[in-house]
Amino acid sequence: MFVTRRIICFFVVKLVFMIETMGIQVTRAGVSKLHDVNFENLPFGRYFTDHMLEADFENGEWKSAEIKPYQPLLLEPSTAALHYGQSIFEGIKAYKDQNGQAQIFRPYDNLKRFNISAQRMEMPAVPDELFIEGMKQLIALDHNWIPAKPDYSLYIRPLLFATDALIGVKPSESFKFLILLCPTGPYYSAPMRIYVEEKYSRAAPGGVGFAKNAGNYAGAMYPTVLAKKQGYDQVLWTDAFEHKWLQEVGTMNVFFVFGNLAVTPSLEEETILAGVTRDSVVSLLQEMGLAVEERKIHIDEVTHAYREGKLTEVFGTGTAATISPIKELRYKDFDMHFDVASWKIAPGIKRRLTDIREGRVADTHGWMLKI
Ligand SMILES: *Cc1c(COP(=O)(O)O)cnc(C)c1O
């Protein structure tokens, strides 16, 4: 009798749990903020849509997720992420195609990277159903926020951080996962002036350079501000030992074009982010007929090629700006200048990528996920 009651009780609890985990609970915002936002002026990351997704990880499992009105969080001052930086994020974009259908650019690649970052920071993996399905449901609810104008998009920010209310140094046992959405306008990236960094480092082998964790950004701010004071937009990060092997430009991957050859730093040292834009650009460059090499690249190779007139284009790649041309590259007291207006490769790649994302050309790579 006692045993059967326990069994029945177990099944009831199990059933309630299944119902909760199967669907994402949705609480709609009473009023939309959509008409309070001027879509002609959208500073990156400033405005958020009506809803957000929130899910908590506790006792070894993900609790039911909720889509609810965008709102502040209530956190203990002892929240572990604030003290020890167990915190990771992603950046993804959604677009409207020519029929007004919303589609997301390569979100499974971001999910894969998110879980690589999570593992390195001793955090739980986020399952597909939560990351992809949650994102799709959230975007479907806020689809009116996706600007249907060329070069406009919806920026998607998933993040995961430690929520143990405990300031002892140890991996947290509870975590919060959020997805936020921001409408974004055309990100005009003015050609950049870049300083080759020789004192500060962003990442070393064995470190966390390949993870998209909050601390990588915090550590980059001071050297970047110093470079800005000298009139540069960003730094070009170099290896931590010799400061000669090139890594990334600010928070973007970097490409060097030597005529019909494009070179970008390889990933095997795990000091740079495996950019989804980087990977897409590699494919598109090859389709344009260029040879692409992913390998180590030394600053001397760059300066020599420049002196011989063989370095034709240099640019950064990332989700926010897609492609950012570099008009000036400074190494020690040597200044390299580029006539960005005459370039063919970087603008061609940017156009091609935008056409795929906005559905003007066929998505032959299977990059777009329809909502
Ligand atoms: C996010 C990021 C990139 C670019 O990655 P994408 O997937 O192309 O947006 C490059 N470098 C760093 C350090 C980054 O954090």
Side-chain angles (χ1 to χ4, degrees):
M1 183 59 198
F2 182 68
V3 173
T4 41
R5 212 188 294 161
R6 286 235 322 232
I7 290 171
I8 291 167
C9 187
F10 171 79
F11 278 115
V12 170
V13 169
K14 184 92 184 160
L15 187 66
V16 169
F17 177 71
M18 274 167 60
I19 291 168
E20 276 183 357
T21 50
M22 261 160 34
I24 295 173
Q25 191 187 323
V26 179
T27 310
R28 283 170 176 266
V31 281
S32 174
K33 300 173 293 182
L34 186 61
H35 300 292
D36 301 340
V37 174
N38 176 6
F39 275 64
E40 301 306 316
N41 178 27
L42 291 173
F44 182 76
R46 171 86 56 85
Y47 300 112
F48 295 89
T49 64
D50 291 323
H51 300 91
M52 65 187 205
L53 179 140
E54 182 173 351
D56 289 299
F57 183 90
E58 282 162 17
N59 302 320
E61 63 190 19
W62 286 100
K63 303 289 162 194
S64 55
E66 204 185 340
I67 289 174
K68 58 188 194 180
Y70 182 90
Q71 59 193 269
L73 302 172
L74 188 61
L75 297 170
E76 292 284 344
S78 56
T79 296
L82 301 177
H83 299 262
Y84 306 121
Q86 242 188 326
S87 183
I88 60 168
F89 67 97
E90 268 304 328
I92 308 171
K93 276 181 174 176
Y95 301 80
K96 275 199 177 146
D97 71 11
Q98 299 303 295
N99 304 316
Q101 157 90 51
Q103 38 184 11
I104 317 173
F105 184 70
R106 304 187 69 174
Y108 284 98
D109 295 271
N110 294 86
L111 168 60
K112 198 169 146 203
R113 186 172 71 190
F114 196 67
N115 286 336
I116 290 171
S117 301
Q119 184 182 33
R120 180 64 181 83
M121 308 309 283
E122 193 50 36
M123 302 167 92
V126 174
D128 282 27
E129 310 88 76
L130 185 54
F131 193 96
I132 302 287
E133 291 310 314
M135 181 181 300
K136 283 170 78 172
Q137 278 194 40
L138 179 63
I139 296 172
L141 190 60
D142 281 341
H143 72 274
N144 285 337
W145 287 82
I146 311 176
K149 286 202 276 186
D151 290 333
Y152 281 66
S153 60
L154 188 72
Y155 184 80
I156 307 163
R157 168 53 60 87
L159 73 151
L160 175 68
F161 61 92
T163 50
D164 276 10
L166 177 86
I167 57 172
V169 181
K170 68 173 192 58
S172 188
E173 287 170 14
S174 55
F175 297 87
K176 191 179 284 297
F177 175 67
L178 300 171
I179 302 179
L180 315 177
L181 305 175
C182 305
T184 60
Y187 195 108
Y188 171 69
S189 35
M192 301 184 294
R193 299 184 67 212
I194 300 294
Y195 171 81
V196 180
E197 182 61 59
E198 289 187 279
K199 177 174 180 189
Y200 300 99
S201 304
R202 180 187 166 275
V208 295
F210 65 95
K212 212 168 174 80
N213 61 310
N216 280 345
Y217 279 67
M221 286 183 190
Y222 179 67
T224 306
V225 167
L226 291 183
K228 284 193 173 158
K229 283 184 182 153
Q230 303 297 317
Y232 298 96
D233 298 297
Q234 283 292 345
V235 303
L236 177 55
W237 297 105
T238 54
D239 72 283
F241 307 109
E242 299 174 66
H243 290 296
K244 299 239 178 255
W245 300 95
L246 307 176
Q247 293 181 339
E248 297 193 70
V249 57
T251 58
M252 283 181 284
N253 295 112
V254 66
F255 283 78
F256 300 88
V257 180
F258 309 95
N260 275 328
L261 169 68
V263 181
T264 190
S266 45
L267 304 172
E268 79 253 1
E269 257 184 3
E270 300 195 329
T271 50
I272 67 173
L273 235 280
V276 177
T277 319
R278 173 190 181 280
D279 187 71
S280 312
V281 168
V282 166
S283 298
L284 296 179
L285 284 168
Q286 287 167 338
E287 285 165 26
M288 274 175 97
L290 274 84
V292 182
E293 292 177 3
E294 296 180 52
R295 59 163 166 83
K296 290 182 77 166
I297 179 160
H298 195 280
I299 185 65
D300 289 350
E301 179 182 350
V302 170
T303 54
H304 288 158
Y306 177 82
R307 284 200 172 90
E308 292 176 359
K310 290 181 180 155
L311 178 59
T312 43
E313 301 186 21
V314 188
F315 54 88
T317 65
T319 295
T322 306
I323 290 192
S324 291
I326 294 172
K327 68 173 179 187
E328 184 185 333
L329 189 57
R330 171 127 182 154
Y331 177 58
K332 296 187 191 289
D333 51 9
F334 184 51
D335 245 328
M336 294 169 263
H337 291 272
F338 303 92
D339 178 21
V340 172
S342 70
W343 288 5
K344 297 281 179 293
I345 309 295
I349 294 288
K350 180 160 186 170
R351 206 174 312 119
R352 184 87 196 151
L353 207 45
T354 310
D355 283 347
I356 294 170
R357 287 161 160 173
E358 293 172 9
R360 277 185 296 274
V361 302
D363 170 27
T364 54
H365 306 85
W367 283 341
M368 306 310 299
L369 177 71
K370 286 194 165 38
I371 289 171

